[in-house]
Amino acid sequence: MKYSSIVAAAAGTEMTVPEGWGQGRATFGGIVGAILIAHMDAYLAAEQGDQRAPLRSFSLSFVAPMAPGPLALSAEILRAGKSVTQVQVTARQEGQVVAVMLGSLGQPRPSSLAVAGSPPPEMRPAAECNPVPFVEGLTPDFLRHFHLLYADDNYPYTGSSRPDFQGYMRFAEPGQPQDAASLACLVDTWPASVITMLKKPAPMSSLTWTMDFLVDPATLPPTRDWQYDVITDAFADGYGHTRSRIWDEQGRPVAFSRQTVVVFA
């Protein structure tokens, strides 16, 4: 099942999580985030119509593994002010909560302040990078739907002393939507940044995830290869804390992402 079909199904209160998007025993976190954002957008479209504000930030907790099969979705406006709307979206399977997202949406407002985001670092051009290959039974199932291109020489499982890297990301199948949900989905395709320090594969997953949007991706010119870099702030007791930045093909800063990750190694 392709990405666009999944997020279209997420507009309703019930859907089926498809096979083929797994990461270990759970559904890939990026598609979980995209499902909740897509459901929130459909809910607000029905409640507020064209007056709904763009998504500025979300915070997502992965409460339990989301499995292929029936999924119930619900959304609730916690508060709708003049400019800002706060929404909670909940995903349940068999009556149990598997994911909860808090979304903050805000209308643009006049301001005397302006601070431009940082430009992207110098990277090897995407055309000179090779995508990470999908290998059945070795790489996660969801990777077949994406192309990840490492733009430096800090590769996974090399025992590196540097837990940071740069790269490009895109959908393997062209023509997918370009919006907040799809960009969030792409961002989570990258493994935990400390993967470069490992010498062999180890299970890893996201615990919490916050993403901030500087601009609505749907308003930008079409981008094929989004630029990405990630920095590890700290890692201890099996938990890592990372932050990443995302730019479009024009070098425009678009979003920031922060995650708490768990690595079983």
Side-chain angles (χ1 to χ4, degrees), residues 131-146:
V132 177
F134 171 72
V135 181
E136 189 80 45
L138 182 61
T139 52
D141 288 347
F142 77 84
L143 193 59
R144 74 181 78 213
H145 303 286
F146 304 96

Side-chain angles (χ1 to χ4, degrees), residues 18-178:
E19 300 276 358
W21 288 82
Q23 182 177 18
R25 65 192 184 99
T27 298
F28 157 55
I31 203 68
V32 174
I35 286 171
L36 270 63
I37 294 172
H39 182 75
M40 177 189 68
D41 190 56
Y43 170 77
L44 290 175
E47 293 289 322
Q48 300 179 332
D50 293 337
Q51 300 304 310
R52 67 190 187 279
L55 180 63
R56 301 290 175 175
S57 179
F58 72 78
S59 180
L60 174 59
S61 289
F62 299 97
V63 179
M66 183 181 291
L71 180 73
L73 295 165
S74 62
E76 176 188 5
I77 295 176
L78 303 180
R79 183 179 186 275
K82 183 178 179 181
S83 299
V84 174
T85 299
Q86 306 280 358
V87 184
Q88 178 174 303
V89 187
T90 305
R92 294 179 172 85
Q93 288 188 311
E94 298 182 349
Q96 301 300 310
V97 174
V98 294
V100 178
M101 185 186 76
L102 294 177
S104 299
L105 303 94
Q107 298 285 5
R109 63 181 77 196
S111 176
S112 61
L113 301 174
V115 179
S118 300
E122 291 293 328
M123 290 189 189
R124 185 185 306 153
E128 299 177 11
C129 304
N130 293 318
V132 177
F134 171 72
V135 181
E136 189 80 45
L138 182 61
T139 52
D141 288 347
F142 77 84
L143 193 59
R144 74 181 78 213
H145 303 286
F146 304 96
H147 286 162
L148 301 182
L149 302 90
Y150 283 85
D152 59 17
D153 296 324
N154 207 28
Y155 296 110
Y157 308 124
T158 56
S160 171
S161 61
R162 182 166 61 93
D164 310 318
F165 55 80
Q166 304 166 349
Y168 301 89
M169 53 191 174
R170 63 174 181 254
F171 285 95
E173 183 177 356
Q176 301 304 309
Q178 179 173 301

Side-chain angles (χ1 to χ4, degrees), residues 143-216:
L143 193 59
R144 74 181 78 213
H145 303 286
F146 304 96
H147 286 162
L148 301 182
L149 302 90
Y150 283 85
D152 59 17
D153 296 324
N154 207 28
Y155 296 110
Y157 308 124
T158 56
S160 171
S161 61
R162 182 166 61 93
D164 310 318
F165 55 80
Q166 304 166 349
Y168 301 89
M169 53 191 174
R170 63 174 181 254
F171 285 95
E173 183 177 356
Q176 301 304 309
Q178 179 173 301
D179 53 19
S182 61
L183 185 56
C185 187
L186 282 169
V187 167
D188 199 49
T189 56
W190 294 99
S193 53
V194 291
I195 196 172
T196 60
M197 303 180 72
L198 299 174
K199 294 183 177 180
K200 61 182 181 180
M204 57 185 65
S205 62
S206 299
L207 182 64
T208 63
W209 178 18
T210 300
M211 192 164 168
D212 302 312
F213 295 89
L214 306 181
V215 60
D216 182 357

